[in-house]
Amino acid sequence: VQLVESGGGSVQSGGSRRLSCAASGYTVSLGCMGWFRQAPGKEREGIATIDIAGTTRYADSVKGRFTISRGNAENTLYLQMNSLRFEDTAMYYCAARRIGYGCGSYSLQSVPFDYWGQGTQVTVSS
């Protein structure tokens, strides 16, 4: 399974951006999916997850500003980012679990994802 992110780029503070993640090489729906980000010099941060039933969870740092969703097409994932801030600047990664594996009660940082994308850079200018 390959996950490919797109939609990154430069945006001014207060602006919006929509990231996409497309999975290939898998013919059935994936399980729990999520978004992570990592800024230079910082640890990777889990920011949002969505399970197959559509239940979502968010990190406090993005709650109310970001929205995770699954697309109508199989194995697509989105992250709508609004009211972007300078501190949102990071490489953003999508991740997924195999079919049958939900998000469970893991913390956003601890979900044992099976597949990862290569990342897409988001740069917010102040």
Side-chain angles (χ1 to χ4, degrees):
V1 175
Q2 288 186 322
L3 301 179
V4 179
E5 303 94 338
S6 61
S10 297
V11 60
Q12 288 192 327
S13 179
S16 298
R17 202 84 185 179
R18 189 192 197 204
L19 304 183
S20 300
C21 173
S24 62
Y26 207 63
T27 59
V28 295
S29 295
L30 292 163
C32 175
M33 299 185 78
W35 288 97
F36 286 74
R37 68 184 180 185
Q38 187 166 21
K42 294 188 176 181
E43 293 187 355
R44 187 181 65 192
E45 177 189 18
I47 58 173
T49 60
I50 184 168
D51 66 20
I52 196 67
T55 302
T56 59
R57 288 190 296 162
Y58 297 93
D60 289 342
S61 57
V62 305
K63 196 175 295 182
R65 300 187 299 121
F66 291 10
T67 302
I68 188 172
S69 61
R70 299 177 83 126
N72 291 328
E74 292 293 335
N75 300 332
T76 57
L77 183 70
Y78 302 102
L79 185 69
Q80 177 66 43
M81 306 185 294
N82 298 328
S83 302
L84 282 162
R85 305 166 180 167
F86 176 75
E87 54 264 36
D88 294 319
T89 296
M91 185 72 79
Y92 284 73
Y93 301 88
C94 68
R97 299 194 77 188
R98 291 171 290 168
I99 179 81
Y101 291 86
C103 300
S105 58
Y106 297 102
S107 69
L108 290 176
Q109 280 294 103
S110 303
V111 179
F113 288 108
D114 300 295
Y115 312 111
W116 292 83
Q118 293 299 307
T120 186
Q121 176 69 35
V122 174
T123 301
V124 184
S125 57
S126 57

